[in-house]
Amino acid sequence: MIRKHSPKDLEAILNIWYQASTLAHPFLDDAFVEQVKTAMRDMYIPDSETWVYEEHGTILGFISMMDNEIGGLFVLPNHHSKGIGSQLVNFIKPSYKSLEVEVFDKNAIGRAFYKKYGFKYMHSYFHKESNQDVLRLKFDNLN
């Protein structure tokens, strides 16, 4: 089931983010990861529209939207490749003419997911805070 998150879901969301982010972003500095975790708790989740994927009372993944941008799409690593990420994108897709997302160039997991889903490269830039190249991708929702 996909539902709008509630404040009581915050710890589960942060746990999913941390586990999935650690797997997808082993190249990130620990201090930067802690900085993002704090921002997730205090700013990103409260200031975005976030939906969770829940099964048998357990949250397995989430998607956070800021306008038409996917600010975060994360699934517990032991539930990857089960269609949860696609279901979350499919859930929000009808509300937007297009979707955009930023993904680290070195994030092979995220890049493969967005490529398979049909996102196209827009441009890239160097993200000074993480010391990493970031790709901006777009999905045009023509349906």
Side-chain angles (χ1 to χ4, degrees), residues 20-38:
S21 185
T22 300
L23 178 66
H25 309 133
F27 48 85
L28 292 177
D29 171 277
D30 289 344
F32 178 75
V33 170
E34 284 305 312
Q35 179 184 0
V36 173
K37 186 176 183 180
T38 299

PDB file of all heavy atoms in Angstrom, residues 20-38:
ATOM      1  N   ALA A  20      19.744   2.517   2.338  1.00  0.00           N
ATOM      2  CA  ALA A  20      19.810   2.542   0.875  1.00  0.00           C
ATOM      3  C   ALA A  20      20.900   3.502   0.396  1.00  0.00           C
ATOM      4  O   ALA A  20      21.619   3.209  -0.568  1.00  0.00           O
ATOM      5  CB  ALA A  20      18.455   2.939   0.294  1.00  0.00           C
ATOM      6  N   SER A  21      21.048   4.621   1.084  1.00  0.00           N
ATOM      7  CA  SER A  21      22.054   5.603   0.702  1.00  0.00           C
ATOM      8  C   SER A  21      23.466   5.055   0.928  1.00  0.00           C
ATOM      9  O   SER A  21      24.364   5.272   0.103  1.00  0.00           O
ATOM     10  CB  SER A  21      21.843   6.892   1.497  1.00  0.00           C
ATOM     11  OG  SER A  21      22.731   7.887   1.066  1.00  0.00           O
ATOM     12  N   THR A  22      23.662   4.343   2.018  1.00  0.00           N
ATOM     13  CA  THR A  22      24.974   3.743   2.300  1.00  0.00           C
ATOM     14  C   THR A  22      25.351   2.753   1.204  1.00  0.00           C
ATOM     15  O   THR A  22      26.504   2.711   0.769  1.00  0.00           O
ATOM     16  CB  THR A  22      24.948   3.055   3.678  1.00  0.00           C
ATOM     17  OG1 THR A  22      24.642   4.041   4.676  1.00  0.00           O
ATOM     18  CG2 THR A  22      26.287   2.431   4.006  1.00  0.00           C
ATOM     19  N   LEU A  23      24.382   1.980   0.734  1.00  0.00           N
ATOM     20  CA  LEU A  23      24.633   1.018  -0.341  1.00  0.00           C
ATOM     21  C   LEU A  23      24.912   1.722  -1.668  1.00  0.00           C
ATOM     22  O   LEU A  23      25.862   1.374  -2.377  1.00  0.00           O
ATOM     23  CB  LEU A  23      23.426   0.079  -0.496  1.00  0.00           C
ATOM     24  CG  LEU A  23      23.519  -0.965  -1.611  1.00  0.00           C
ATOM     25  CD1 LEU A  23      24.633  -1.974  -1.308  1.00  0.00           C
ATOM     26  CD2 LEU A  23      22.186  -1.672  -1.774  1.00  0.00           C
ATOM     27  N   ALA A  24      24.109   2.721  -1.999  1.00  0.00           N
ATOM     28  CA  ALA A  24      24.219   3.392  -3.302  1.00  0.00           C
ATOM     29  C   ALA A  24      25.339   4.428  -3.358  1.00  0.00           C
ATOM     30  O   ALA A  24      25.808   4.761  -4.445  1.00  0.00           O
ATOM     31  CB  ALA A  24      22.891   4.068  -3.649  1.00  0.00           C
ATOM     32  N   HIS A  25      25.741   4.937  -2.195  1.00  0.00           N
ATOM     33  CA  HIS A  25      26.711   6.039  -2.151  1.00  0.00           C
ATOM     34  C   HIS A  25      27.926   5.726  -1.283  1.00  0.00           C
ATOM     35  O   HIS A  25      28.275   6.524  -0.403  1.00  0.00           O
ATOM     36  CB  HIS A  25      26.046   7.317  -1.616  1.00  0.00           C
ATOM     37  CG  HIS A  25      24.776   7.699  -2.285  1.00  0.00           C
ATOM     38  ND1 HIS A  25      23.652   8.058  -1.595  1.00  0.00           N
ATOM     39  CD2 HIS A  25      24.458   7.796  -3.601  1.00  0.00           C
ATOM     40  CE1 HIS A  25      22.686   8.362  -2.445  1.00  0.00           C
ATOM     41  NE2 HIS A  25      23.155   8.204  -3.674  1.00  0.00           N
ATOM     42  N   PRO A  26      28.616   4.629  -1.515  1.00  0.00           N
ATOM     43  CA  PRO A  26      29.781   4.316  -0.665  1.00  0.00           C
ATOM     44  C   PRO A  26      30.912   5.327  -0.835  1.00  0.00           C
ATOM     45  O   PRO A  26      31.824   5.377  -0.012  1.00  0.00           O
ATOM     46  CB  PRO A  26      30.200   2.928  -1.150  1.00  0.00           C
ATOM     47  CG  PRO A  26      29.727   2.861  -2.564  1.00  0.00           C
ATOM     48  CD  PRO A  26      28.440   3.647  -2.585  1.00  0.00           C
ATOM     49  N   PHE A  27      30.839   6.129  -1.847  1.00  0.00           N
ATOM     50  CA  PHE A  27      31.866   7.125  -2.168  1.00  0.00           C
ATOM     51  C   PHE A  27      31.700   8.422  -1.379  1.00  0.00           C
ATOM     52  O   PHE A  27      32.550   9.301  -1.449  1.00  0.00           O
ATOM     53  CB  PHE A  27      31.838   7.435  -3.676  1.00  0.00           C
ATOM     54  CG  PHE A  27      30.455   7.704  -4.197  1.00  0.00           C
ATOM     55  CD1 PHE A  27      29.897   8.964  -4.116  1.00  0.00           C
ATOM     56  CD2 PHE A  27      29.700   6.664  -4.748  1.00  0.00           C
ATOM     57  CE1 PHE A  27      28.616   9.202  -4.588  1.00  0.00           C
ATOM     58  CE2 PHE A  27      28.411   6.895  -5.217  1.00  0.00           C
ATOM     59  CZ  PHE A  27      27.872   8.166  -5.135  1.00  0.00           C
ATOM     60  N   LEU A  28      30.594   8.564  -0.634  1.00  0.00           N
ATOM     61  CA  LEU A  28      30.361   9.814   0.093  1.00  0.00           C
ATOM     62  C   LEU A  28      31.077   9.816   1.441  1.00  0.00           C
ATOM     63  O   LEU A  28      31.103   8.811   2.150  1.00  0.00           O
ATOM     64  CB  LEU A  28      28.865  10.045   0.316  1.00  0.00           C
ATOM     65  CG  LEU A  28      28.045  10.343  -0.939  1.00  0.00           C
ATOM     66  CD1 LEU A  28      26.571  10.473  -0.583  1.00  0.00           C
ATOM     67  CD2 LEU A  28      28.545  11.605  -1.628  1.00  0.00           C
ATOM     68  N   ASP A  29      31.596  10.955   1.788  1.00  0.00           N
ATOM     69  CA  ASP A  29      32.276  11.185   3.055  1.00  0.00           C
ATOM     70  C   ASP A  29      31.274  11.078   4.218  1.00  0.00           C
ATOM     71  O   ASP A  29      30.141  11.559   4.113  1.00  0.00           O
ATOM     72  CB  ASP A  29      32.884  12.588   2.954  1.00  0.00           C
ATOM     73  CG  ASP A  29      33.454  13.088   4.233  1.00  0.00           C
ATOM     74  OD1 ASP A  29      32.680  13.614   5.048  1.00  0.00           O
ATOM     75  OD2 ASP A  29      34.677  12.966   4.401  1.00  0.00           O
ATOM     76  N   ASP A  30      31.679  10.459   5.333  1.00  0.00           N
ATOM     77  CA  ASP A  30      30.793  10.265   6.488  1.00  0.00           C
ATOM     78  C   ASP A  30      30.224  11.579   7.024  1.00  0.00           C
ATOM     79  O   ASP A  30      29.051  11.631   7.404  1.00  0.00           O
ATOM     80  CB  ASP A  30      31.534   9.538   7.619  1.00  0.00           C
ATOM     81  CG  ASP A  30      31.815   8.082   7.297  1.00  0.00           C
ATOM     82  OD1 ASP A  30      31.195   7.536   6.359  1.00  0.00           O
ATOM     83  OD2 ASP A  30      32.662   7.488   7.992  1.00  0.00           O
ATOM     84  N   ALA A  31      31.026  12.619   7.051  1.00  0.00           N
ATOM     85  CA  ALA A  31      30.549  13.911   7.552  1.00  0.00           C
ATOM     86  C   ALA A  31      29.442  14.464   6.667  1.00  0.00           C
ATOM     87  O   ALA A  31      28.454  15.018   7.160  1.00  0.00           O
ATOM     88  CB  ALA A  31      31.713  14.904   7.642  1.00  0.00           C
ATOM     89  N   PHE A  32      29.587  14.295   5.347  1.00  0.00           N
ATOM     90  CA  PHE A  32      28.547  14.760   4.428  1.00  0.00           C
ATOM     91  C   PHE A  32      27.264  13.961   4.636  1.00  0.00           C
ATOM     92  O   PHE A  32      26.161  14.527   4.672  1.00  0.00           O
ATOM     93  CB  PHE A  32      29.027  14.640   2.973  1.00  0.00           C
ATOM     94  CG  PHE A  32      27.984  15.058   1.978  1.00  0.00           C
ATOM     95  CD1 PHE A  32      27.696  16.400   1.774  1.00  0.00           C
ATOM     96  CD2 PHE A  32      27.275  14.107   1.254  1.00  0.00           C
ATOM     97  CE1 PHE A  32      26.728  16.798   0.870  1.00  0.00           C
ATOM     98  CE2 PHE A  32      26.300  14.489   0.346  1.00  0.00           C
ATOM     99  CZ  PHE A  32      26.024  15.835   0.149  1.00  0.00           C
ATOM    100  N   VAL A  33      27.377  12.648   4.826  1.00  0.00           N
ATOM    101  CA  VAL A  33      26.203  11.794   5.046  1.00  0.00           C
ATOM    102  C   VAL A  33      25.467  12.236   6.309  1.00  0.00           C
ATOM    103  O   VAL A  33      24.234  12.343   6.308  1.00  0.00           O
ATOM    104  CB  VAL A  33      26.606  10.302   5.125  1.00  0.00           C
ATOM    105  CG1 VAL A  33      25.446   9.440   5.581  1.00  0.00           C
ATOM    106  CG2 VAL A  33      27.131   9.829   3.777  1.00  0.00           C
ATOM    107  N   GLU A  34      26.191  12.521   7.370  1.00  0.00           N
ATOM    108  CA  GLU A  34      25.556  12.971   8.612  1.00  0.00           C
ATOM    109  C   GLU A  34      24.869  14.330   8.428  1.00  0.00           C
ATOM    110  O   GLU A  34      23.790  14.560   8.973  1.00  0.00           O
ATOM    111  CB  GLU A  34      26.570  13.031   9.756  1.00  0.00           C
ATOM    112  CG  GLU A  34      26.926  11.662  10.302  1.00  0.00           C
ATOM    113  CD  GLU A  34      25.717  10.854  10.759  1.00  0.00           C
ATOM    114  OE1 GLU A  34      24.856  11.395  11.496  1.00  0.00           O
ATOM    115  OE2 GLU A  34      25.607   9.670  10.374  1.00  0.00           O
ATOM    116  N   GLN A  35      25.482  15.188   7.653  1.00  0.00           N
ATOM    117  CA  GLN A  35      24.895  16.497   7.363  1.00  0.00           C
ATOM    118  C   GLN A  35      23.571  16.324   6.610  1.00  0.00           C
ATOM    119  O   GLN A  35      22.573  16.974   6.916  1.00  0.00           O
ATOM    120  CB  GLN A  35      25.888  17.313   6.540  1.00  0.00           C
ATOM    121  CG  GLN A  35      25.427  18.674   6.141  1.00  0.00           C
ATOM    122  CD  GLN A  35      26.443  19.378   5.236  1.00  0.00           C
ATOM    123  OE1 GLN A  35      27.495  18.843   4.905  1.00  0.00           O
ATOM    124  NE2 GLN A  35      26.112  20.578   4.824  1.00  0.00           N
ATOM    125  N   VAL A  36      23.556  15.429   5.637  1.00  0.00           N
ATOM    126  CA  VAL A  36      22.333  15.179   4.864  1.00  0.00           C
ATOM    127  C   VAL A  36      21.267  14.532   5.748  1.00  0.00           C
ATOM    128  O   VAL A  36      20.083  14.870   5.652  1.00  0.00           O
ATOM    129  CB  VAL A  36      22.626  14.321   3.611  1.00  0.00           C
ATOM    130  CG1 VAL A  36      21.339  13.929   2.908  1.00  0.00           C
ATOM    131  CG2 VAL A  36      23.547  15.061   2.665  1.00  0.00           C
ATOM    132  N   LYS A  37      21.671  13.615   6.612  1.00  0.00           N
ATOM    133  CA  LYS A  37      20.702  12.960   7.507  1.00  0.00           C
ATOM    134  C   LYS A  37      19.990  13.998   8.375  1.00  0.00           C
ATOM    135  O   LYS A  37      18.766  13.941   8.538  1.00  0.00           O
ATOM    136  CB  LYS A  37      21.400  11.915   8.373  1.00  0.00           C
ATOM    137  CG  LYS A  37      20.443  11.105   9.212  1.00  0.00           C
ATOM    138  CD  LYS A  37      21.172  10.014   9.979  1.00  0.00           C
ATOM    139  CE  LYS A  37      20.202   9.165  10.753  1.00  0.00           C
ATOM    140  NZ  LYS A  37      20.880   8.113  11.509  1.00  0.00           N
ATOM    141  N   THR A  38      20.736  14.945   8.904  1.00  0.00           N
ATOM    142  CA  THR A  38      20.142  16.015   9.708  1.00  0.00           C
ATOM    143  C   THR A  38      19.191  16.848   8.855  1.00  0.00           C
ATOM    144  O   THR A  38      18.075  17.178   9.287  1.00  0.00           O
ATOM    145  CB  THR A  38      21.246  16.901  10.317  1.00  0.00           C
ATOM    146  OG1 THR A  38      22.052  16.078  11.161  1.00  0.00           O
ATOM    147  CG2 THR A  38      20.659  18.047  11.121  1.00  0.00           C
TER     148      THR A  38
END
